[in-house]
């Protein structure tokens, strides 16, 4: 008999706690002729597909520079990265040629297509770097080349009748090859990275990592990271350019664990357990290039091509190129640099 009043009391208490649902505002009548489905799905998400189609039609540029002493396997590594003969070796460069007395810069272009996507890949090689007895300021021609590409892009950009799509020769990524000494970085390594990290995305790699034991490799990687930090050298991905927490977490892991990537390159195939693998044959077995237990080549490839390629291009455009552009315009009193076209127009007006 008490159940009724208790329940009613509870109901009264609940009605005090829970506010009455607010009445929905009256929706004004939609204009005649508008399809009801328009008020639902708009289709903004199709922009991703539109961008994909456009990129597939036009393709994109990617310019990668390799720097390091002769004999560190730069050409082989680039061939391995892109699974095709894209290095100077396959472009008429002769092994018997003497080491150039100064740094020569050779750019070799290729078009690589995969899954309908075209990439115009340019490999910029720097034979002669660090091979002389006196290597003082041997990084200067490389810095000059990088800045020349920014200048070329800037001049195209400020043209009155500029091209719809400016050819992009700017260096998006510089792989810097460190000799696998197991000791410390050479003064030349530090000097190069100190100067060039301000103008280009540098990714340090330890070449021919199969010459070191696992313990030596781990110690050397830690030592290199420490030396770069002590000398204030920022390599890619730079901390200050992490855009959000997810980027920061992912990139911190790369900076603290993977860098510099200890790699082995090879464009030779071998049979291992019934599978064809890229590798280097040694008296004690085959070092598999894509096996993470053997080296970090797969990590480097995934980093440069599969996760950070677009970001490398964006940092080049938004940070390094913008820095160059701002300085150039500032030095020129805020005026864009005169191009050949504007100079000719200027002369004809006089």
């Amino acid at each position: 008999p008490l159940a009724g009043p208790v329940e009613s009391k509870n109901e009264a208490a609940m009605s005090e706690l829970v506010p009455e649902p607010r009445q929905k505002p009256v929706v004004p009548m939609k204009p005649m002729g508008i399809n009801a489905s328009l008020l639902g799905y708009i289709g903004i998400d199709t922009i991703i597909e539109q961008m994909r189609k456009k990129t597939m039609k036009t393709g994109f540029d990617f310019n990668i520079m390799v720097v390091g002493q002769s004999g560190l396997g730069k050409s082989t590594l680039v061939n391995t990265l892109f699974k095709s003969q894209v290095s100077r070796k396959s472009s008429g460069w002769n092994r018997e040629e003497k080491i150039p007395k100064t740094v020569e810069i050779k750019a070799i272009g290729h078009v690589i297509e995969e899954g309908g996507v075209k990439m115009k890949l340019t490999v910029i090689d720097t034979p002669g770097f660090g091979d002389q007895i006196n290597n003082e300021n041997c990084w200067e021609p490389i810095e000059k080349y990088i800045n020349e590409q920014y200048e070329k892009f800037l001049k195209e950009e400020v043209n009155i009748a500029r091209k719809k799509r400016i050819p992009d020769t700017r260096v998006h990524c510089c792989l810097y090859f460190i000799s696998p000494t197991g000791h410390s970085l050479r003064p030349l390594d530090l000097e190069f990275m100190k100067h060039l990290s301000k103008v280009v995305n540098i990714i340090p790699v330890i070449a021919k990592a199969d010459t070191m034991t696992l313990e030596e490799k781990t110690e050397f990687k830690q030592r290199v990271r420490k030396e770069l930090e002590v000398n204030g050298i920022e390599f890619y991905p730079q901390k200050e350019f992490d855009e959000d927490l997810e980027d920061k977490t992912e990139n911190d892991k790369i900076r603290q664990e993977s860098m510099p990537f200890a790699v082995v390159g090879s464009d030779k195939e071998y049979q291992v357990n019934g599978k064809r693998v890229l590798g280097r044959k040694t008296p004690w077995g085959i070092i598999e290039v894509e096996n993470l237990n053997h080296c970090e080549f797969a990590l480097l490839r995934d980093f440069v091509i599969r996760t950070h390629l677009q970001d490398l291009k964006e940092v080049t455009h938004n940070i390094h190129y913008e820095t160059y552009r701002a300085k150039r315009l500032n030095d020129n009193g805020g005026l864009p640099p005169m191009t050949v076209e504007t100079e000719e127009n200027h002369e004809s007006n006089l």
Side-chain angles (χ1 to χ4, degrees):
L2 293 170
V6 171
E7 274 175 15
S8 60
K9 275 181 189 174
N10 285 347
E11 279 168 17
M14 286 292 284
S15 65
E16 283 173 26
L17 289 170
V18 180
E20 283 184 22
R22 285 167 62 189
Q23 284 191 337
K24 287 182 181 177
V26 179
V27 178
M29 278 182 67
K30 61 182 180 186
M32 293 300 288
I34 289 185
N35 192 323
S37 66
L38 283 179
L39 298 175
Y41 175 69
I42 300 168
I44 296 165
D45 57 355
T46 61
I47 190 150
I48 304 297
E49 183 59 22
Q50 292 169 45
M51 287 161 76
R52 191 186 72 85
K53 277 183 181 170
K54 199 157 193 177
T55 308
M56 287 194 51
K57 274 183 195 168
T58 57
F60 63 96
D61 302 297
F62 187 61
N63 309 316
I64 186 167
M65 177 181 264
V66 286
V67 182
Q69 276 178 297
S70 294
L72 290 179
K74 300 189 296 294
S75 304
T76 307
L77 186 88
V78 173
N79 285 345
T80 318
L81 265 179
F82 295 99
K83 291 194 187 294
S84 75
Q85 296 292 314
V86 293
S87 76
R88 62 181 179 195
K89 274 185 185 173
S90 53
S91 304
W93 188 81
N94 184 359
R95 260 280 174 232
E96 303 306 311
E97 280 181 27
K98 287 180 182 173
I99 292 165
K101 285 200 162 51
T102 55
V103 180
E104 286 182 10
I105 293 169
K106 300 186 176 188
I108 300 151
H110 299 264
V111 174
I112 297 177
E113 191 169 341
E114 189 177 62
V117 178
K118 280 182 190 164
M119 176 166 82
K120 185 173 179 286
L121 172 72
T122 303
V123 179
I124 302 119
D125 205 347
T126 55
F129 178 85
D131 293 338
Q132 305 304 320
I133 294 165
N134 179 8
N135 288 303
E136 195 179 352
N137 296 347
C138 69
W139 44 266
E140 282 182 350
I142 296 171
E143 185 175 33
K144 183 171 177 274
Y145 177 87
I146 290 166
N147 284 330
E148 278 170 358
Q149 307 320 306
Y150 291 146
E151 182 68 16
K152 206 185 279 187
F153 196 89
L154 177 59
K155 283 188 171 176
E156 283 287 354
E157 212 176 39
V158 298
N159 262 338
I160 293 166
R162 62 182 179 184
K163 293 170 184 167
K164 189 181 175 186
R165 191 165 179 260
I166 299 170
D168 192 0
T169 59
R170 297 169 299 180
V171 180
H172 301 121
C173 169
C174 171
L175 290 182
Y176 187 79
F177 285 68
I178 297 163
S179 192
T181 59
H183 301 295
S184 51
L185 291 171
R186 299 171 304 159
L188 174 61
D189 299 328
L190 293 168
E191 196 71 17
F192 176 89
M193 288 192 265
K194 204 176 276 182
H195 281 94
L196 274 290
S197 61
K198 295 179 178 72
V199 296
V200 71
N201 295 316
I202 288 181
I203 298 175
V205 295
I206 298 167
K208 298 199 167 178
D210 52 325
T211 59
M212 295 187 286
T213 66
L214 292 175
E215 292 78 15
E216 285 170 345
K217 188 168 76 176
T218 306
E219 281 174 26
F220 190 41
K221 278 165 70 88
Q222 286 170 352
R223 196 173 295 129
V224 169
R225 279 199 294 269
K226 187 75 186 158
E227 285 187 50
L228 292 173
E229 192 184 330
V230 167
N231 287 278
I233 295 165
E234 278 280 341
F235 51 82
Y236 179 85
Q238 300 91 333
K239 286 176 191 170
E240 67 263 40
F241 307 148
D242 291 341
E243 290 190 344
D244 56 35
L245 192 61
E246 191 185 339
D247 284 355
K248 188 184 181 308
T249 309
E250 186 187 340
N251 290 339
D252 273 346
K253 195 170 183 243
I254 292 161
R255 286 186 283 259
Q256 290 159 17
E257 294 173 21
S258 304
M259 291 284 186
F261 295 97
V263 296
V264 176
S266 173
D267 37 22
K268 290 190 172 66
E269 284 191 358
Y270 294 96
Q271 195 87 14
V272 176
N273 301 328
K275 282 168 67 182
R276 302 288 290 171
V277 297
L278 286 171
R280 275 167 61 86
K281 197 172 187 179
T282 68
W284 51 89
I286 288 166
I287 291 144
E288 296 171 41
V289 166
E290 300 196 26
N291 185 337
L292 282 174
N293 296 320
H294 293 197
C295 81
E296 294 166 353
F297 169 81
L299 289 178
L300 172 67
R301 183 206 48 216
D302 290 357
F303 175 65
V304 171
I305 300 170
R306 299 181 185 181
T307 62
H308 285 67
L309 191 145
Q310 183 58 30
D311 189 60
L312 280 161
K313 286 167 67 72
E314 283 173 13
V315 171
T316 300
H317 182 75
N318 299 331
I319 310 292
H320 298 306
Y321 170 66
E322 278 302 313
T323 305
Y324 177 86
R325 182 178 169 278
K327 185 180 182 304
R328 189 78 174 79
L329 295 178
N330 196 41
D331 292 349
N332 214 23
L335 296 166
M338 284 188 92
T339 63
V340 175
E341 278 183 36
T342 52
E343 280 167 12
E344 283 171 1
N345 292 344
H346 180 67
E347 281 166 19
S348 63
N349 290 337
L350 290 174

